[in-house]
C-alpha cells in the first residue's frame, strides 16, 4: 500500500509538472519495490526517474535509459496508462534532442492510445504536443497551425483546463511561426491564464517565452522583458530546466539591449551558453548572443558574426528550419551593418 500510494502520488506530480516532488515521493520506496519485483511498479518507477532525469537534471542519456526500460515493461504488461506517460516523455526527450521523426513516432503512439479510448482531453493534448514540439521546431508552419487548432477545438469540447493550457500555448507558437502576431498574443495570454489556473508552471514557462518572442518581433521590448522574466521566475521556483533559465537570461539581455540598456555582462552570458545542455536551444542561444553583440557599444561585429555563424551551423545540424531562417536574416543584418560602418 505504501508503494502504491507513493507511486500514484509521484505519477500525479509528473502529470502536474512537479518533477522534483515526484522524485522525492519515490525515493523511500525504490529499494522496497525492487525487492518485491513487481514489474508494473518498476515500470512506473522508471517512468518517474526518467522524467526527473530529463526535466530536473537534463541528463539525457539517463532519461533515455530509464524511459526505454519503462516502455519495455509497460508494453510487455500491456499497461497502457504507464505506456502513455512514458511514451509522452520519451517524445519530449527526443524532440529536445532534435530527433524529431523518432519523437513523432512516440507521440503518435500516445495519440492512438487516446483516440482508441476516445478521451477528448487526451487526444487534444497529444495533437497540441505534436504541433508544438515537433512541427513547430521543424519549421512546418502550416502543419503545426492546422494540428494545433485541431487540438484547441477538442480542448474546448472537453472543457478540460490542462488541455486548454496546452492547446492555447501550442496555437500561440504556431501562430507566431505564421507571422500572425496578434493571434499569437491572444492565444498565449490564454495559455498562461489556464496554466496559472492549475499551477502548471511548465506550460506557463513555454507560453511566456513564446509571448516574449512575439513581443520582441513587434519591437515591444518592455513587454518582451516582462515575459522573459516571468519564464525565468517560474523555472527558478520549480527548480527545473536549468538550460532554459539560461536561455531566458540571454533573451532578456537581448531585449534590454534593444531598448537601449547597454549594460550587459558578456562573461555571464557566455557562461549561460557554455552550460546549455539542450540541442534544441543551441541555435537560439548562439543567435541571441550574436544579436546582443551586434547592438552593444564597442567594436564587436566580428565576434557577433562568429556567434551568428554558430547559430546557423547548429540549426542546420539540428534541422531547426524556422530558426535557421531567422539566423540567416540576422546574419544579413550583420553584414549590412558592417558595410554601413
Amino acid at each position: 500500500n505504501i508503494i502504491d500510494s507513493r507511486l500514484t502520488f509521484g505519477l500525479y506530480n509528473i502529470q502536474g509538472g512537479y518533477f522534483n516532488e515526484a522524485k522525492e515521493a519515490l525515493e523511500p520506496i525504490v529499494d522496497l519495490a525492487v525487492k518485491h519485483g513487481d514489474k508494473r511498479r518498476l515500470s512506473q518507477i522508471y517512468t518517474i526517474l526518467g522524467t526527473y532525469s530529463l526535466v530536473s537534471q537534463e541528463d539525457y542519456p539517463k532519461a533515455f535509459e530509464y524511459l526505454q526500460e519503462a516502455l519495455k515493461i509497460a508494453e510487455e504488461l500491456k499497461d497502457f496508462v504507464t505506456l502513455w506517460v512514458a511514451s509522452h516523455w520519451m517524445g519530449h526527450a527526443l524532440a529536445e534532442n532534435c530527433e524529431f521523426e523518432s519523437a513523432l513516432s512516440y507521440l503518435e503512439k500516445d495519440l492512438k492510445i487516446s483516440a482508441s479510448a476516445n478521451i477528448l482531453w487526451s487526444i487534444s493534448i497529444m495533437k497540441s504536443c505534436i504541433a508544438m514540439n515537433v512541427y513547430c521546431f521543424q519549421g512546418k508552419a502550416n502543419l503545426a497551425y492546422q494540428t494545433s487548432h485541431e487540438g484547441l477545438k477538442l480542448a474546448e469540447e472537453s472543457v478540460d483546463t490542462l488541455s486548454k493550457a496546452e492547446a492555447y500555448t501550442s496555437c500561440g507558437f504556431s501562430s507566431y511561426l505564421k507571422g500572425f502576431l496578434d493571434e499569437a498574443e491572444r492565444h498565449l495570454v490564454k495559455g498562461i491564464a489556464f496554466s496559472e489556473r492549475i499551477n502548471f508552471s511548465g506550460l506557463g514557462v513555454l507560453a511566456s517565452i513564446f509571448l516574449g518572442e512575439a513581443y520582441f518581433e513587434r519591437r515591444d521590448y518592455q513587454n518582451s522583458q516582462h515575459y522573459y522574466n516571468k519564464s525565468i521566475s517560474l523555472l527558478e521556483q520549480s527548480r527545473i530546466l536549468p538550460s532554459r533559465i539560461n536561455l531566458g537570461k540571454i533573451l532578456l539581455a537581448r531585449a534590454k539591449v534593444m531598448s537601449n540598456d547597454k549594460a550587459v555582462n558578456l562573461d555571464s552570458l557566455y557562461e549561460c551558453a557554455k552550460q546549455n545542455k539542450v540541442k534544441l536551444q543551441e541555435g537560439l542561444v548562439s543567435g541571441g548572443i550574436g544579436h546582443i553583440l551586434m547592438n552593444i557599444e564597442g567594436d564587436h561585429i566580428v565576434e557577433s558574426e562568429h556567434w551568428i555563424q554558430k547559430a546557423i551551423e547548429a540549426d542546420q545540424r539540428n534541422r531547426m528550419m524556422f530558426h535557421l531562417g531567422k539566423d540567416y536574416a540576422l546574419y544579413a543584418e550583420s553584414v549590412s551593418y558592417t558595410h554601413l560602418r
Side-chain angles (χ1 to χ4, degrees), residues 32-44:
L32 186 60
V34 171
K35 180 181 176 181
H36 278 265
D38 186 318
K39 284 191 171 183
R40 181 172 175 274
R41 288 165 174 165
L42 286 174
S43 179
Q44 293 172 346

Side-chain angles (χ1 to χ4, degrees), residues 299-318:
D299 189 5
H300 298 281
I301 195 63
V302 173
E303 195 178 1
S304 169
E305 289 185 3
H306 165 72
W307 280 95
I308 297 169
Q309 284 283 8
K310 281 182 67 173
I312 290 170
E313 290 166 10
D315 286 328
Q316 281 179 332
R317 182 173 62 250
N318 297 328

Side-chain angles (χ1 to χ4, degrees), residues 255-321:
K256 285 182 176 180
V257 165
M258 297 307 291
S259 59
N260 293 316
D261 181 353
K262 308 295 185 181
V264 176
N265 185 337
L266 288 175
D267 288 337
S268 174
L269 296 180
Y270 296 152
E271 186 61 28
C272 286
K274 183 180 177 181
Q275 292 179 6
N276 178 60
K277 296 180 181 179
V278 182
K279 278 189 179 181
L280 192 75
Q281 295 180 180
E282 288 176 347
L284 285 165
V285 165
S286 297
I289 291 178
H291 204 155
I292 289 165
L293 289 166
M294 195 168 69
N295 288 280
I296 59 175
E297 294 174 356
D299 189 5
H300 298 281
I301 195 63
V302 173
E303 195 178 1
S304 169
E305 289 185 3
H306 165 72
W307 280 95
I308 297 169
Q309 284 283 8
K310 281 182 67 173
I312 290 170
E313 290 166 10
D315 286 328
Q316 281 179 332
R317 182 173 62 250
N318 297 328
R319 295 167 299 143
M320 301 269 290
M321 305 313 293

Side-chain angles (χ1 to χ4, degrees), residues 6 13 22 43 63 78 90 100 103 111 115 127 129 145 151 175 200 224 235 239 267 281 286 294-295 314 328-329:
R6 283 188 171 271
N13 273 314
S43 179
K78 293 185 169 44
M90 179 63 88
F100 296 115
L111 181 57
K127 281 184 173 287
C129 183
Y145 189 81
S175 298
F200 198 133
S224 184
L235 288 168
R239 296 175 294 137
D267 288 337
Q281 295 180 180
S286 297
M294 195 168 69
N295 288 280
Y328 279 123

Side-chain angles (χ1 to χ4, degrees), residues 21-39:
E21 291 81 356
K23 171 69 159 40
E24 289 162 9
L26 189 69
E27 283 177 334
I29 54 93
V30 172
D31 291 341
L32 186 60
V34 171
K35 180 181 176 181
H36 278 265
D38 186 318
K39 284 191 171 183

